[in-house]
Amino acid sequence: MKKFRKVLDGLSSSSPGGVASPSCGSAAGTPTAHAPTPLDIHVQETLVSENFHLCKTVRHGFPYQPTCLAFDPVQKILAIGSRTGGIRILGRPGVDCYSQHESGAAVLQLQFLINEGALVTACADDTLHLWNLRQRRPAILHSLKFNRERITFCHLPFQSKWLYVGTERGNTHIVNIESFVLSGYVIMWNKAIELATKTHPGPVVHLSDSPKDEGKLLIGFESGTVVQWDLRAKKVDFRIYYDEAIHSVSWHHEGKQFMCSHSDGSLTVWNLRNTSRPIQVTYPHGKILKDGRKESCKPILKVEYKTSRNSSEPFIIFSGGLSYDKAGGRRPTLTIMHGKAITVLEMDHPIVEFLVLCDTPYSNEVQDPYAVVVLLEKDFIVVDLTQSNFPIFENPYPMDIHESPVTCTAYFAQCPPDIIPILYSIGAKQKKTGYSHKEWPVSGGTWTLGSQTYPEIIVTGHADGTVKFWDASAITLQMLYKLKTSKVFEKPKAGEGRTTEVLDEDPYAVQMVSWCPHSRLFCVVGISAHVILYRFSKHDANTQIASLEVRLQFDSDDAVSPSENENNPCFSDPSSHSPLQPGSPGSATPDSVPGLRVKSRALRMPPGYQAELVVQLVCPPQQITSLDINSAYGLLAFGNCNGVAVVDYLQKTILMCVSTLDLYGAADPYQRLTRSPRRNRQSTSDFCMRGLSHFYSDSKKRIRTSYQSLTELSDNQVSIDMERTKSPTSDHVNGHCTSPTSQPCSMGKPRIPGVPEGPRLTRRGPGRPPFRKAQSAACMEISLPVSSHTEVGGCASRRAMLQQLHGVSMYSHDEHHTTTPYNWSERAESRENSFSRSRSSSVSSIDRDTKEAVTTLQFGESYGRKGEPLPSACLWVGTSLGVVLLLPISIPAEDEDRMEEPVTIGPSSTVLMLKGSVLRFAFLDCGGALIQSPYEVWRDPNGPEDPDRTRRRKLVNFSPWPSHEAGVDGHMAVVCSEKQAKVMLMPSQTVLFAHNVTESSFILRADVVSVCSSVCLACFCANGHVMTLSLPSLRPLMDINYLPLTDMRIARTFVFTNGGQALYLSSPTEIQRITYSQEMADNLQDMLGELFTPIETPEAQNKGFLKGFFGGNAQPFDREELFGEAAAGKASRSLAQHIPGPMGLENMKAAAGGVVGDLARARIALDQRGERLGELEERTALMMNSAEIFSTHAHQVMLKHKDKKWYQL
């Protein structure tokens, strides 16, 4: 018979002043003398909605799918465009800015307004954008949308405000950069070619003005036609026709000849004196065969023709052109020709674009190149041209995040201050050598360390088994240390083992990590169902790695019967487990062997993280879904879809290995049904997880967006009549229910011999069908496309998405679906708020075996039993059915006894139930402060020992002892699941606050973090919402629809941390950091780098008197006179549409707002007046300087020619 909960008098939800008081609780169970009651808990909450604001901070990594490149030789900043519409602007280390076009169209070309602090982008939607770089976050000033023609090429001459735009029709238009409107001056394709020509010349692929005369414009068409257009006379000077298509054109700095690259792998040099034929045709990588036929070569996509002061021989640098017949012809190459020397640099990835960096911005001067920037599809390198061996520069940016696909992330803020220097000193020894000794050439911008900086570390796990530690302090990212977990195992041989068929691609892929920065203990979970424990040491060591094998596979074949293993306790006796020596098979059967073999010999381990213990799940290995490690206890716990295991890594023993079903014992909140035995054991390969591989869509090996199902299916059905007979009344006590028919499991005691065991039961609720595969997004790698329309019942079904992605029905205690795999059109069943309501049975689901996954684990000081007077070590267990279990742990208190006496684990108790899988545990004291997990202070395991002092473990314990302010004992436990969050008071196990976080979606990530000297619960949902809740009252503080669509990558890598920060993998190559703190958002401008630095433009070189006199100085060229509206007229309005930028729109809106508009106009006028006064002052100073220089030169000329006759001049 159900016991109704009693309502406590005098309780209120929360006071207006922010004082959190409980809303409801259970009166069952009298607390101890000093235990707190709900009336004693009064927490003054300081967080309000104004403390939160969500915005992006910085993006790290290599730009995903890059398309183009640009460089400002004066400001020395570099820009990279991408296929998704993103722009990355890079300068000196710390100057790294990311901007995004709202349209998302691919960026085709970039053009810097050299030394002007502006950038022009040409996008695939035929739109030109002008970006203002004189602010820390660039913004669009103007946009120009072409309606009738497609943009193919752009060119902006140095110190010009007129942009040449070539189109697909072969026309050339001219755009005024200041007003961003089209000029009436147009060079039509039919005027550029001869009238007798019957074919279209093709799109414009090149535009450049002659270095000798700015009034001459060289136009290259794709078909092989090159035209020099006289802008003044509006006619053609000459036309060049070539049989092969043109890809690029490059001028000699004197303007007398230029070079073209062609599709047949040839380079042609043309002289302006004779344009009927090229003066030189070369095939750099092609040879003449014996039969006189030329080798077929790849096209040369780009060529650069640069001269040098130190050598009479020019630099000819081009990409492509290799012969198809050569063995290395398939690899992308960059060729550097300098005189007779030809250097071919082979690249690992296709070349997107390259730029030659020169000292001068003037095209009519000796270029004197010093470096080549090469943008590859998946890498970014800079080659030093000043050294004969052409070394590359060491890249200061974190461009190698994707060196191997990122499989998991972890984010740690406010780390111990000594951890970053020690990791950097160890990691410095891992760096490669052979880099150029010169400084990084991209050195523009300014960056200073912000005022609010604290140690931050990002940890990334990768598909090849590597783990990288990154210094993320002050919104930068620098590599600290790299750890290779594959060195622990023997290299698998071809065809060796039972799991190589599915794990040979990425058997070492990192699935999750757990790190304690204080104790420097590091734990890695691999995809091959292994756990590796690392200790940090400053000294190298020569040790042997201990190995343990654990079997967490509990199925119907393992059911305990009277005839076999009658003395098998569900909690293993620690004394019965001896540490397995490395390489020993242990008790594993031939069918139960680990997927990887641990090295059995002693290994030399360099300073850094050194492997101490490897725990492997024997085959069939199932994905490990949860992990926690505690250095103070010396314990390691992990769970999967079958159960949980606890390992004492100090004694190298297995303390507990138990299924989730046996974890409940007599306190089982569900009824059980008899399991029918399987007819045939399925093959091992059906249970093994798939590996991870390359993540690009065009690769043969693709990253797995999901793993195979983690559980088995039963072949036999269970009778409905038997199901109905197993539905007695359940008792609800203190938020959890107990079933009288549940088979008790003697916790820590052997079963009585001779007494037949009760039937092995299937997890289910009263009147409910057995659930199949109760797993969730918390324990599976899933893809999460969120539909925008509303499903029947008011929300899109989480299980329907999982079913569509995995082809398997997914059930939990709060829902039941009968949809068909990969069927998005099926309507989800409506959600029910009550746990006790029965569902209609489904015959198709009765035969399903139940697998309740362990989704989260947490060690901590708590109260293992209800009403206990003192806290002790405990293990909190959360499952995929929303059940919270608590296991008390008894650890020897003395340091000497810890290595000898066994650690015992008491029987578990069900303390709470929630909707959806349990995701996170956290503990607060009665004053609302976050209780950290106890840890052991780090000591070097290989350091020199003092014979006079004994090495004792120094522990730091944050036990919830009496609060001096509140005067009460106990603590609060925060539990968050996929659907709701609850705050429970310990040791009375009273639910103080409960909040349904989401109804239409489910939570992917939840963390309890510190923000603004307080704590809150931060959640990220599958529908893209980011939410924060106050603690302990669970009052909503922020709910922002941040991402409209969530995919698997973001779902797997999204993580919150302290200080109001979070990160996720925005693309396979980039990490996006965000902040949800208003304080950090306000200080973000001070933390970002300045892209523009006021630098005086270098003056052009003075030509000699004789060279200027006999060389024929070009006539002065006034573009304003030719392209202005007065001379050229207005362009057709239908040709292009001008779109004002967001800044212009804001000014217009402000102007229309009455007094606000007046204030805005006054502020704008004041700013403009200040800018004009500043410009006037600068011009006055320049004029005075010029006058002084002129006076000095005039006086020197007068003195020089004072006593000379006229014929001596």
Side-chain angles (χ1 to χ4, degrees), residues 192 263 364 432 453 633 723 728 738 1058 1127:
S263 58
N364 59 353
K432 299 178 181 179
T453 58
Y633 303 156
E723 174 197 357
T738 59
N1058 295 327

Side-chain angles (χ1 to χ4, degrees), residues 333-548:
T333 59
L334 182 75
T335 305
I336 302 174
M337 299 174 61
H338 189 212
K340 296 182 179 180
I342 300 178
T343 304
V344 179
L345 306 178
E346 291 188 349
M347 305 294 172
D348 295 331
H349 309 287
I351 297 176
V352 176
E353 191 176 354
F354 71 91
L355 286 177
V356 179
L357 307 187
C358 304
D359 286 329
T360 176
Y362 297 93
S363 60
N364 59 353
E365 295 180 357
V366 178
Q367 299 299 290
D368 202 16
Y370 60 89
V372 181
V373 178
V374 186
L375 179 63
L376 309 177
E377 278 192 1
K378 302 175 186 178
D379 204 355
F380 174 78
I381 62 174
V382 180
V383 181
D384 187 358
L385 293 179
T386 60
Q387 301 183 37
S388 58
N389 59 341
F390 302 124
I392 65 173
F393 290 88
E394 185 178 3
N395 198 330
Y397 314 122
M399 293 290 186
D400 57 345
I401 293 176
H402 64 288
E403 186 178 12
S404 177
V406 178
T407 55
C408 69
T409 58
Y411 194 4
F412 301 91
Q414 301 172 357
C415 299
D418 59 335
I419 190 67
I420 291 180
I422 188 62
L423 286 176
Y424 180 80
S425 62
I426 299 295
K429 302 175 184 179
Q430 302 175 337
K431 290 188 176 180
K432 299 178 181 179
T433 58
Y435 292 111
S436 174
H437 299 292
K438 294 194 173 182
E439 293 184 359
W440 180 251
V442 186
S443 58
T446 57
W447 178 79
T448 57
L449 202 62
S451 58
Q452 293 186 348
T453 58
Y454 43 82
E456 300 176 69
I457 291 180
I458 294 174
V459 181
T460 57
H462 300 265
D464 62 352
T466 60
V467 178
K468 295 181 181 180
F469 291 79
W470 306 84
D471 179 12
S473 306
I475 69 170
T476 61
L477 195 69
Q478 292 294 325
M479 173 74 126
L480 288 176
Y481 176 73
K482 184 177 181 180
L483 176 66
K484 294 183 179 180
T485 62
S486 59
K487 292 185 176 181
V488 174
F489 303 100
E490 300 282 356
K491 292 184 179 180
K493 298 179 181 179
E496 184 183 64
R498 302 173 60 92
T499 62
T500 53
E501 297 180 3
V502 291
L503 295 179
D504 56 352
E505 293 181 351
D506 298 298
Y508 313 109
V510 179
Q511 186 177 332
M512 66 178 70
V513 297
S514 178
W515 185 45
C516 177
H518 300 280
S519 63
R520 302 182 188 178
L521 210 62
F522 187 61
C523 205
V524 177
V525 173
I527 196 175
S528 300
H530 61 264
V531 182
I532 309 175
L533 176 65
Y534 290 90
R535 284 185 181 271
F536 187 83
S537 175
K538 297 180 181 180
H539 308 277
D540 56 358
N542 193 1
T543 58
Q544 195 173 9
I545 304 173
S547 176
L548 293 174

